[in-house]
Amino acid sequence: MLRDKYLDMSRIIRDKKILDLFRIVENHGGVLRFVGGAVRDALSGLDGFDLDLATDLSPDELVEICEENNIKTVPIGIKFGTVGVLINGKVLEITSLRKDVKTDGRHAEVEFTGDWEIDASRRDLTINAVYADEKGNVFDYYNGIEDLENGKIKFIGSPAVRIKEDYLRILRFFRFYSIFGKGEIDQKSLQACVNNKDGLKQLSLERIRDEFFKILMTPNVVKVLQIMKDNEILSSILPDPKNLDKLKFLAALIEKHGLQSCALRRLFVIFDPDEMLAENLANRLKLSKKEKQLFLSWAEYVPKLQDFSNEDNRNKMIYHYGKDFCRNKLLLQLAFEKKEIANLNELLNKIDTYEIPVFPLRGRDVISAGIAESAQIGGILKNLEKQWIDSNFTLSATQLLQKIAK
């Protein structure tokens, strides 16, 4: 269970100020340890994780000793035992050891405990129930380190019991299998996910969306989505993904050219929605206003690939739809046609650096040219803007006004 000085803590502790917390808690007779993702990812050699800590002190005790030592705290989840501690402008979440008293598949009523193994037993997967202190001593209550090394992703204890405590764990199981899994998926855990998949209907769409988007960004997303599709995990919530081959192409294309991955773009690829389905997905997943607008625009307008290589056509597209649309739509079209182009990065750079022109006329200019009827002004401006665009944005304000006179 205890692995003495097993972990290089420089992988986790980037800010030495955090060590003050360990000293303060220890002086108060308590214990503080890193837990979950920070330990798991450090053991796997990954970077960029969030820090989560656990303590055997109660939330009130933790707040009290922080105040005594002039450390600010934020009550981000006192009811559930989580206190936000401000260290150099960053909030660290520290959660008191807990045990579940009652669960309903969405939320849990908890009691605080001083038993680390009981706290570990309420976590979802063995690889997420590993703790480490500031000295690198690792506390592994459910063989999580060995499972991590072997790529074995499985629930702690009874998979069905763990899932029924929070049905989101079904999606978390697939996410972590996509990141850390090796070989065949754990059949006992998979069967429990299948047997309890209807429980996903109890969850808020926001939780489903956030976890599903995380799955979309994982390295083995195609393999995992295929398993989920074969076992009808999401069919009651979302349509079955149909373009996994195109998602695979898109992921490889993005990696090859060193581009930024995008969950929204991956979502669009796997469904290739028409306008009606795009609207349905956007509403069902409660996308933000900006995300929904971009998502719908991808479904509404489908340019030809050659339009991106033609400077005039590309610039007009940017003017009408914006840079975000053109950048993403180029990548989407390449994925849908499963086609590579040698100058992809060059085209993307041209989109990014293009200075979008501004139409040189306003309503007052039309009035000054002698148009008094307000009902005519909008139509005249629209007609002139079309002529200006057709000229590849070369007509000046004077030339446009002369057209009014004619």
Side-chain angles (χ1 to χ4, degrees):
M1 181 186 74
L2 170 63
R3 302 202 183 196
D4 186 45
K5 296 182 180 179
Y6 183 76
L7 185 59
D8 178 7
M9 295 309 293
S10 66
R11 296 193 59 82
I12 294 180
I13 303 175
R14 307 291 171 81
D15 186 345
K16 299 298 182 182
K17 189 73 175 176
I18 295 174
L19 294 174
D20 292 341
L21 278 177
F22 284 85
R23 175 182 54 79
I24 291 167
V25 171
E26 184 179 358
N27 289 342
H28 193 76
V31 176
L32 183 65
R33 294 174 184 169
F34 295 100
V35 65
V39 181
R40 178 199 66 224
D41 292 355
L43 288 168
S44 300
L46 301 179
D47 293 319
F49 41 73
D50 294 325
L51 293 183
D52 291 312
L53 297 100
T55 181
D56 56 358
L57 299 180
S58 72
D60 291 338
E61 287 178 304
L62 181 61
V63 170
E64 182 180 349
I65 64 172
C66 284
E67 288 177 350
E68 290 174 357
N69 289 272
N70 297 316
I71 297 176
K72 292 184 178 180
T73 59
V74 183
I76 57 178
I78 292 290
K79 179 181 178 181
F80 300 103
T82 302
V83 175
V85 178
L86 203 63
I87 301 293
N88 285 339
K90 295 183 178 180
V91 177
L92 295 179
E93 292 189 8
I94 303 179
T95 302
S96 297
L97 303 185
R98 301 172 293 180
K99 62 179 179 180
D100 291 333
V101 177
K102 181 181 179 182
T103 59
D104 62 5
R106 294 176 297 173
H107 310 290
E109 292 182 17
V110 299
E111 285 183 359
F112 302 124
T113 179
D115 192 314
W116 289 87
E117 187 167 355
I118 288 177
D119 183 77
S121 70
R122 67 178 299 277
R123 297 179 181 273
D124 53 1
L125 305 171
T126 61
I127 64 170
N128 292 334
V130 183
Y131 304 75
D133 64 20
E134 80 282 15
K135 298 173 184 176
N137 299 314
V138 176
F139 304 84
D140 182 8
Y141 298 96
Y142 290 96
N143 210 32
I145 293 177
E146 184 175 333
D147 285 343
L148 190 62
E149 290 172 346
N150 294 328
K152 196 72 172 177
I153 310 304
K154 61 183 183 180
F155 290 98
I156 293 171
S158 166
V161 172
R162 294 285 81 77
I163 289 171
K164 288 175 181 177
E165 291 168 349
D166 183 356
Y167 288 108
L168 192 70
R169 287 175 170 176
I170 292 175
L171 301 185
R172 284 172 57 83
F173 169 73
F174 288 105
R175 171 159 66 95
F176 288 117
Y177 177 67
S178 181
I179 299 172
F180 300 105
K182 301 173 186 176
E184 293 298 315
I185 197 167
D186 182 67
Q187 290 300 312
K188 187 177 179 181
S189 297
L190 175 61
Q191 191 58 52
C193 290
V194 173
N195 293 343
N196 292 278
K197 62 187 178 183
D198 286 344
L200 291 171
K201 298 176 185 178
Q202 299 182 26
L203 304 177
S204 70
L205 289 172
E206 290 89 345
R207 294 187 76 199
I208 293 286
R209 174 202 63 212
D210 292 346
E211 193 62 37
F212 187 58
F213 272 27
K214 289 177 182 178
I215 291 173
L216 288 175
M217 297 295 283
T218 56
N220 293 299
V221 57
V222 174
K223 176 182 179 180
V224 163
L225 287 181
Q226 186 64 59
I227 296 173
M228 295 173 75
K229 179 180 178 180
D230 292 343
N231 290 278
E232 300 180 343
I233 298 296
L234 288 174
S235 57
S236 62
I237 301 170
L238 294 171
D240 278 333
K242 60 182 180 180
N243 293 318
L244 296 183
D245 59 328
K246 293 171 183 175
L247 174 58
K248 183 177 181 180
F249 182 91
L250 175 64
L253 182 73
I254 295 298
E255 182 178 0
K256 177 180 178 179
H257 291 271
L259 304 174
Q260 190 73 35
S261 294
C262 171
L264 193 66
R265 193 166 56 218
R266 292 187 172 196
L267 180 73
F268 194 90
V269 163
I270 61 176
F271 291 119
D272 188 14
D274 56 19
E275 293 180 42
M276 184 178 295
L277 179 56
E279 178 90 28
N280 181 283
L281 287 169
N283 292 334
R284 195 182 300 189
L285 293 172
K286 294 192 175 181
L287 300 181
S288 69
K289 184 177 180 179
K290 182 178 180 181
E291 288 173 332
K292 180 178 178 179
Q293 184 178 24
L294 188 59
F295 197 72
L296 293 182
S297 72
W298 294 343
E300 290 165 0
Y301 177 62
V302 182
K304 298 177 181 178
L305 266 181
Q306 53 263 38
D307 288 338
F308 291 96
S309 298
N310 183 289
E311 183 177 1
D312 292 341
N313 290 347
R314 182 178 66 246
N315 293 344
K316 289 175 184 177
M317 197 189 314
I318 296 173
Y319 179 80
H320 282 298
Y321 298 98
K323 294 181 179 181
D324 277 350
F325 171 90
C326 293
R327 184 187 307 110
N328 285 293
K329 198 61 180 178
L330 171 57
L331 296 171
L332 288 169
Q333 286 306 115
L334 289 172
F336 286 133
E337 298 185 27
K338 298 172 79 168
K339 184 176 181 180
E340 288 226 36
I341 52 175
N343 63 335
L344 175 58
N345 290 82
E346 180 185 345
L347 280 179
L348 291 170
N349 184 61
K350 286 179 179 179
I351 292 171
D352 289 336
T353 58
Y354 178 62
E355 187 173 339
I356 301 175
V358 178
F359 183 50
L361 295 185
R362 296 292 181 268
R364 61 177 178 269
D365 300 313
V366 177
I367 295 172
S368 297
I371 303 299
E373 292 290 335
S374 59
Q376 295 180 332
I377 294 173
I380 290 173
L381 276 175
K382 187 175 181 180
N383 182 277
L384 291 174
E385 184 182 23
K386 183 179 183 305
Q387 294 184 58
W388 175 69
I389 294 171
D390 290 341
S391 75
N392 292 324
F393 314 104
T394 59
L395 288 175
S396 67
T398 301
Q399 289 172 314
L400 291 168
L401 289 172
Q402 287 172 351
K403 292 180 178 293
I404 296 179
K406 290 181 182 179

